[in-house]
Amino acid sequence: MWSYEKRLQYPVRIKNTNPRLASAIISQYGGPDGELGASLRYLSQRYSMPYDDTKAALTDIGTEELGHLEMIGSIVHQLTRNLTPEEAVKGGFDAYLVDHTTGVYPQAAAGFPYTTASMQVKGDPITDLHENMAAEMKARTTYDNILRISDDPDVNDVIRFLRAREIVHYQRFGELLCRTQQRLSEKNFFAFNPSFDKKQKR
Amino acid sequence: MAEHNCGKDNCRMAYAVPFAIWDLRLYLDTHPDDREAIEKFRCLCREAGMCCACCGPMSMLPASADDRCVLEEHWNWIDGPWPWEPEANCGKGCD
């Protein structure tokens, strides 16, 4: 189970209203490479993992991603909390405003709602760990793209923190992949699903 | 770290120390027998007044809540059974 800490993992304090930037950053809330998908992916993959270190890391990283979801929600909220309808129209935020006012809704920058179709839980530790390394790199690229279009230092400071976390998580998943492969026997040299096939043999 | 939301010393205790503890947790998940990292983890937990490996993620319990973790040389947070496994779940009539 979980308990809640009443603070952000890293502080978010944004001075300027910017609906255009908010509608881009919301992709990391509910987009295909966003924090919600990351958390759900890792926390769901835990059940079929055969090794304790991988169960632990998926639990911890999946938990941290929920903290990042909260940080992205805070950025979107602070970028739009003082928004006027005129600013929304001028900033290309009018379609979002009609659907959600200034509520924080899990959607991609392109407007489509959050979907689990952009993630996978394959039940094979090797496959899932590769998926996770790719997921961390996709999120890192998204943060790089946000930094390419944002000139708000208050926002960029937080985005750089989140970007660095993707790199750390990528490193951890790489170590887990390495540790998982080391546990395979010569009979499973090609690294087919070590958890499911082991069960079938019993 | 940008020093908004709080003053310099407060920032260390409010964000920097818990973050360092958290990042060491992730490192220890894949390096569970790195004694130097376990010692660093304990040291930071003491500074933050937190318990260490025995507690769940980010738990803010007093350091005295469980002294067993201080004796461990292995990152036992990773050790099973995990909550979704039947071995971890007490049924009826369980002591």
Side-chain angles (χ1 to χ4, degrees):
Chain A
M1 64 172 284
W2 273 264
S3 59
Y4 178 71
E5 265 193 59
K6 199 178 167 189
R7 66 179 181 91
L8 296 179
Q9 191 188 20
Y10 186 92
V12 174
R13 192 137 116 175
I14 294 159
K15 288 184 286 294
N16 301 321
T17 298
N18 190 337
R20 195 174 297 280
L21 189 53
S23 61
I25 288 177
I26 200 143
S27 227
Q28 281 305 85
Y29 198 78
D33 307 313
E35 303 289 355
L36 179 60
S39 182
L40 198 55
R41 176 192 285 113
Y42 305 149
L43 295 178
S44 299
Q45 286 177 358
R46 299 180 300 161
Y47 303 101
S48 53
M49 281 294 169
Y51 306 123
D52 279 339
D53 53 0
T54 318
K55 294 174 201 177
L58 286 171
T59 302
D60 287 344
I61 297 176
T63 299
E64 185 177 343
E65 306 293 14
L66 281 178
H68 296 170
L69 181 74
E70 186 182 33
M71 286 171 64
I72 294 290
S74 304
I75 294 174
V76 172
H77 165 67
Q78 292 184 25
L79 284 171
T80 56
R81 74 199 155 126
N82 296 320
L83 185 71
T84 64
E86 295 73 29
E87 285 171 328
V89 172
K90 212 174 148 195
F93 201 76
D94 42 347
Y96 185 97
L97 187 93
V98 165
D99 286 340
H100 312 293
T101 329
T102 51
V104 179
Y105 176 72
Q107 70 165 46
F112 57 86
Y114 175 73
T115 168
T116 47
S118 56
M119 54 164 263
Q120 181 56 290
V121 178
K122 202 67 183 174
D124 178 326
I126 305 280
T127 310
D128 282 345
L129 287 167
H130 275 107
E131 153 113 1
N132 300 351
M133 291 174 74
E136 295 294 334
M137 282 296 105
K138 288 188 279 184
R140 196 263 307 149
T141 306
T142 309
Y143 285 126
D144 279 334
N145 289 340
I146 289 169
L147 290 170
R148 285 183 178 107
I149 61 171
S150 166
D151 60 357
D152 184 330
D154 295 338
V155 171
N156 291 2
D157 178 57
V158 183
I159 296 297
R160 281 193 199 97
F161 172 86
L162 291 167
R163 180 188 180 278
R165 298 309 292 157
E166 308 300 341
I167 293 166
V168 170
H169 294 169
Y170 175 80
Q171 174 72 24
R172 297 285 93 89
F173 283 128
E175 289 157 358
L176 290 166
L177 179 63
C178 186
R179 289 170 69 93
T180 297
Q181 285 175 324
Q182 281 167 353
R183 290 176 180 117
L184 301 174
S185 68
E186 73 280 4
K187 286 179 184 164
N188 195 2
F189 186 77
F190 293 106
F192 296 132
N193 196 337
S195 58
F196 191 74
D197 293 337
K198 204 172 77 188
K199 254 187 298 183
Q200 299 304 299
K201 268 185 220 156
R202 264 188 229 146
Chain B
M1 172 173 291
E3 284 156 22
H4 35 226
N5 269 13
C6 55
K8 205 172 186 179
D9 288 347
N10 284 345
C11 243
R12 178 169 166 80
M13 286 313 291
Y15 293 102
V17 171
F19 173 71
I21 291 170
W22 178 259
D23 201 35
L24 271 170
R25 283 182 60 102
L26 294 191
Y27 172 83
L28 284 165
D29 285 346
T30 55
H31 304 78
D33 298 302
D34 185 332
R35 288 184 178 198
E36 204 180 317
I38 290 173
E39 194 41 55
K40 195 177 271 184
F41 179 83
R42 276 185 200 130
C43 193
L44 283 165
C45 285
R46 270 182 234 118
E47 188 183 340
M50 283 166 69
C51 182
C52 35
C54 44
C55 307
M58 294 199 169
S59 286
M60 300 291 272
L61 294 176
S64 58
D66 192 340
D67 290 327
R68 281 173 304 167
C69 51
V70 179
L71 303 170
E72 290 289 341
E73 297 300 331
H74 162 76
W75 180 243
N76 57 12
W77 160 252
I78 68 170
D79 296 343
W82 282 81
W84 54 88
E85 294 160 349
E87 298 82 0
N89 289 267
C90 243
K92 261 187 185 170
C94 181
D95 289 327

